[in-house]
Amino acid sequence: MSGCGCGCSNSGGGPFSKGRDLVDFVFHAHGGAVRDQKIMQGPLAATCQGCNTPFLLETYLGQCPKCDGVHAVAPMSPTVDNIQFAGKEYRLPL
Ligand SMILES: [Zn+2]
């Protein structure tokens, strides 16, 4: 079993997924409790992978202030290099 160590399981996707799969994983992780949490190590200086606008990713899932592009980072490895972009057409299923 892989997972985040909290005992919850997710079908499809995972913390090591890429792109939209990772965004989906973070969105649904822990029943949605993770996506709005502040990144424990501090905000990441992200660059939007859709429109190249620099922005601060403060939570594990965030949106570009300019184009609303959805970005997420795996909770166990929140570094700039691990930020994943869901794609230009992706919108959060809210
Ligand atoms: Zn953008």
Side-chain angles (χ1 to χ4, degrees):
M1 275 301 286
S2 62
C4 47
C6 72
C8 70
S9 62
N10 291 282
S11 60
F16 303 108
S17 301
K18 297 292 183 193
R20 189 175 303 186
D21 286 342
L22 190 273
V23 173
D24 273 341
F25 171 78
V26 174
F27 183 83
H28 293 290
H30 296 222
V34 170
R35 61 180 184 254
D36 293 328
Q37 286 179 21
K38 299 269 187 193
I39 295 172
M40 200 181 303
Q41 289 82 348
L44 298 176
T47 300
C48 177
Q49 293 173 41
C51 70
N52 286 321
T53 297
F55 70 101
L56 216 52
L57 187 67
E58 297 188 77
T59 53
Y60 292 106
L61 189 148
Q63 288 177 275
C64 169
K66 187 174 178 187
C67 73
D68 289 334
V70 182
H71 298 69
V73 69
M76 69 289 296
S77 53
T79 64
V80 171
D81 287 343
N82 287 326
I83 294 172
Q84 299 293 320
F85 176 50
K88 286 187 179 184
E89 294 84 33
Y90 183 89
R91 288 293 174 267
L92 291 174
L94 294 175

